[in-house]
């Protein structure tokens, strides 16, 4: 919250801009979408309420199919050829196609129509009973009725419901952009495909199989628009050209075969909490640089253009540090952090602390190491490098708990557990021709405020599009950054709903 | 178990010796006690069964008083002047006195008559239903009746019950030593006092107050015989001249005010698991030497005689390492470990590991540090030195969770929690005249096998006797080392029962 208040001036300007501003040098679709929103505001919100009222937790197969059928029907009404792509045991992909005569380009909108599981008791109201509020609940916002009068809608209002931000917002914005363009008789300039996943929040476990099975439907796609995730925390609009990959391992070091009395054995028995600390300590220097040999060797650098764009991203370091109570950070700016792989200790455990602490030397200590990857890093190769580092510190590596014989033969033993899943990072070049078209179109709409972010901090299996299907993919966020995604009281700010409709209109009408 | 098997030859010799051997150059009391045991064996065991049948968990006030009264009555029958020393809210001390005309020395036997709490479900039979077994239960021992014939008792049999080893064995051995001496008309050579505590296993929280309140009864004691704890794991008899002191602290290092997404913040946010590892790592060198400045400065060295005795203690290092699955140890022998204070990591915690691990950078990491002290170390001074070390590593120390203002002003913060209790080590010089008399008397009995151990590894508030009352105190163990003390199926090996009777006889008749 605090950070937002500190950049209020910018927000107000931008909020105003998002909802209301309009000038002659902007794309022609904008007039259509703004007029549409202006006229149909209450109806758009009501339609969104209807869409959000269908429960959509991935494991609820009956409701998921209701969503799929309902959403398909909405697009069918807009002349899309729709089908549900099926795969045994998987939720269907809502697939749609709208052909544009003479179009030289095919855009595909990726959206996921399933939402995070809900813990109803933590919601102010039912997660599938969408309610409009006159501001964020956390800031004292109150529930209000959807106004009948189209002029009375405040863009700072918020609609609360599961998936309001993540990830049904893009669906309602695409639908309304199409309506707006049709109503103003403005032609769409690209072939449009829709690929709406129904189990993203359940881990996208069938995504690759879907892409593989239905590859013939996807081969002519020139660029994927990955409509998910929140906007930049400065509230400036952004396009994101990649995600970090992710991997990790758990390491366990061993002391004696059993916990030992710290009085009888202290000064003699090896102390696992000490050994693991020494090992972890060897992995980074005091500035947070990873000392694992070769850790940074496979990083694919940004282009000059991408570096330039990166340098323009608002520097929120000092604000973030203040908000998070930090003086020291690991020596890279919050934006630069995305350009290198990271190694962090996610968990650490040996014996007990607090009231459960006992006077023992525990028999083992475990650390969960998280590794985020950037373009160029291979997950297995990175873990191999960490293993090589562990060996260089004098440890013998095992992959199962060591037996007595192994313990009696090696002074220092680490068990490595690499069973966690992992995948590569993804990055689409900002200089890809189709990406460039999108950048230019969106820039025409939002101006120099547009942030071109080389990568999200988080990880998504975007590589399936960029490296498996070998197509460019850009993340196009719509939701407010404080949409409580994955949490109770998820919401979408109305200004972001309007922004999404404008944005979809701009993208669908960009020069051929 | 394994270690015992490896020294079988010695055991058999010694076991034989304990139960049966007898030669002319041994103290004259031995003939009396051995004859007594030989004649009364079954009755001694039956009397012990009776003593062990009275439940004695410290919190069970009714049973505790039954114990106190019953034990008092047993000593009254042997002409002791008995009284129960009372203190509000505390279990009584069983105090007794037997004056010896012409004696120049007063010995006081410390014993505790309370036992560890029991988890009955984990016992093979009721903890207060003592049963004789023909061997250790773990090795297939079977329950047997107490034989009527005194010659049929195997010294390897074991009596199972709570407090069989810890700590009612000394009571039954003192009683029988007195009976044996009286029956052979051998005079006791010292004044004898008894000081039996009733809440040792509950933390001896009232011990100091008892000692203070009843100090006039204790002032003429020349030496305390602290009858508790097991014999050396080599099964050789030992006298122990001290215990380690104990203290410790918990340290918590901080990251951001909340856990952060490891993708969004990895490479930027400080990682508490990393910081605490670096801090812990700075506290010891690769050989396990503590690098905290001054950590070893206040250690009072052993005398030449004590060093010599230490060098004679059986070296069980290689056996222990094999048993515990260790190749590397912290560079000191298992005996030498007792001469220096130790620093061990008892617990380590940050975020989660295993299935609960999440892709976050946790907001804190905590380590529980255990410190064992030797003679000369002051607990507060040692913790001060650790704090100074922490400061030398660039940390700002707080004693409560840091507020935002503190976090915004110091790059590295450690919260120190010194609230754990602690106390100093205790050591009685082996060259104290009364200690010397005891050493000589016991040596006459057991020969060069006698181990003179400068300190137990564990900690007991023995300093109350040596540093508060300012009297020498020697620990005189009787129980077998594998008596399952504090655990289910506690037991006493019959050979140790016989040994205890001999030993008490020897001590009570040593030259004036």
């Amino acid at each position: 919250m605090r950070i937002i208040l500190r950049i209020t001036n910018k927000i107000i300007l931008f909020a105003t801009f998002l909802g209301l501003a309009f000038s002659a040098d902007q794309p022609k679709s904008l007039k259509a979408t703004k007029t549409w929103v202006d006229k149909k505001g209450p109806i758009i919100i009501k339609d969104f309420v209807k869409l959000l009222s269908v429960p959509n937790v991935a494991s609820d197969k009956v409701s998921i199919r209701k969503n799929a059928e309902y959403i398909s029907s909405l697009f069918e009404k807009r002349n899309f050829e729709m089908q549900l792509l099926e795969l045994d045991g998987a939720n269907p992909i809502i697939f749609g196609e709208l052909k544009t005569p003479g179009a030289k380009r095919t855009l595909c909108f990726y959206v996921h129509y399933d939402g995070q599981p809900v813990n109803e008791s933590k919601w102010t109201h039912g997660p599938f009973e969408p309610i409009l509020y006159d501001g964020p609940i956390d800031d004292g916002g109150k529930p209000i009725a959807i106004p009948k009068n189209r002029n009375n809608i405040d863009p700072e209002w918020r609609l609360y419901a599961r998936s309001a931000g993540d990830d049904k917002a893009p669906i309602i914005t695409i639908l309304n952009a199409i309506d707006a363009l049709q109503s103003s008789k403005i032609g769409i300039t690209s072939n449009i495909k829709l690929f709406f996943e129904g189990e993203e929040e359940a881990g996208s476990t069938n995504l690759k199989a879907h892409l593989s099975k239905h590859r013939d439907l996807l081969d002519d796609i020139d660029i994927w628009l990955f409509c998910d995730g929140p906007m930049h925390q400065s509230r400036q609009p952004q396009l994101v050209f990649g995600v970090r990959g992710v991997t990790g391992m758990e390491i366990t070091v061993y002391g004696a075969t059993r916990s030992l009395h710290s009085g009888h054995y202290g000064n003699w028995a090896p102390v696992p909490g000490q050994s693991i600390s020494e090992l972890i300590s060897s992995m980074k220097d005091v500035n947070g640089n990873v000392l694992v040999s070769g850790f940074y060797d496979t990083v694919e650098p940004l282009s000059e253009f991408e570096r330039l764009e990166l340098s323009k991203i608002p520097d929120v370091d000092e604000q973030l540090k203040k908000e998070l109570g930090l003086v020291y950070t690991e020596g890279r700016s919050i934006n630069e952090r995305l350009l290198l792989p990271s190694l962090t200790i996610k968990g650490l455990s040996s014996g007990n602390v607090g009231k459960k602490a006992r006077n023992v030397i525990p028999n083992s200590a475990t650390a969960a190491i998280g590794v985020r990857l950037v373009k160029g890093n291979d997950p297995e190769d990175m873990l191999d490098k960490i293993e090589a580092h562990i060996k260089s510190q004098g440890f013998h590596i095992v992959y199962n708990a060591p037996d007595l014989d192994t313990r009696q033969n090696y002074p220092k033993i680490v068990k490595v557990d690499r069973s966690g899943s992992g995948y590569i990072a993804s990055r689409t070049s900002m200089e890809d021709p189709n990406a460039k078209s999108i950048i230019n179109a969106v820039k025409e709409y939002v101006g120099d405020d547009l942030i071109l972010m080389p990568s999200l901090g988080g990880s998504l299996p975007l590589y399936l599009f960029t490296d498996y299907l070998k197509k460019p993919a850009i993340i196009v966020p719509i939701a407010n950054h404080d949409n409580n995604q994955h949490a109770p009281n998820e919401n979408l700010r109305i200004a972001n709903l309007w922004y999404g409709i404008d944005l979809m209109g701009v993208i669908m009408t960009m020069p051929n």
Side-chain angles (χ1 to χ4, degrees), chain A residues 9 20 26 34 60 73 76 82-83 107 211 275 281 288 299 306 345 367 391 395 424 438 462 496:
Chain A
N9 287 344
L20 307 166
Q26 285 167 355
K34 287 194 184 299
D60 177 359
S73 74
E76 267 166 3
M82 299 302 295
Q83 58 178 306
L107 306 177
L211 294 178
S275 320
S281 179
V299 173
E306 288 164 329
I345 304 302
K391 278 184 196 152
F395 287 89
I424 57 172
I438 303 225
L462 201 62
N496 290 69

Side-chain angles (χ1 to χ4, degrees), chain A residues 247-284:
Chain A
T247 186
M249 60 162 68
E250 242 176 55
I251 56 173
T252 300
V253 302
Y254 296 89
T257 46
R258 57 183 169 85
S259 294
L260 298 176
H261 189 288
S262 64
H264 295 146
Y265 294 94
N267 266 358
W268 183 81
V271 181
Q274 186 74 31
S275 320
I276 205 158
S277 293
E278 287 165 8
L279 180 53
I280 290 169
S281 179
S282 74
M283 291 184 183
K284 276 188 177 180

Side-chain angles (χ1 to χ4, degrees), chain A residues 17-21 29-45 147-155 172-181 183-184 445 494-505:
Chain A
F17 168 77
L18 271 185
L20 307 166
S29 74
L30 268 189
K31 185 171 178 187
T33 50
K34 287 194 184 299
T35 306
W36 180 257
V37 163
D38 201 28
K39 209 162 73 181
K40 302 282 185 177
I43 294 167
I44 298 170
I45 295 174
K148 286 177 186 164
N149 191 326
R150 65 196 195 192
N151 298 321
N152 286 351
I153 299 174
D154 182 338
I172 199 76
T173 60
I174 294 169
L175 286 167
N176 277 285
I178 290 166
D179 289 346
L181 297 173
S183 127
S184 290
Y445 164 34
I494 297 302
N496 290 69
L497 181 58
W498 299 166
Y499 165 72
I501 296 170
D502 288 346
L503 185 72
M504 295 302 176

Side-chain angles (χ1 to χ4, degrees), chain A residues 237-253:
Chain A
Q238 70 178 349
L239 297 174
V240 185
F241 293 80
V243 290
R244 273 175 156 179
V246 65
T247 186
M249 60 162 68
E250 242 176 55
I251 56 173
T252 300
V253 302

Side-chain angles (χ1 to χ4, degrees), chain A residues 183-201:
Chain A
S183 127
S184 290
K185 302 197 191 319
I186 295 176
I188 291 172
T189 53
S190 303
N191 296 316
I192 307 290
K193 290 197 171 185
L194 309 173
F195 185 96
F196 297 174
E197 192 188 0
E199 48 197 20
E200 197 269 349
E201 300 294 4

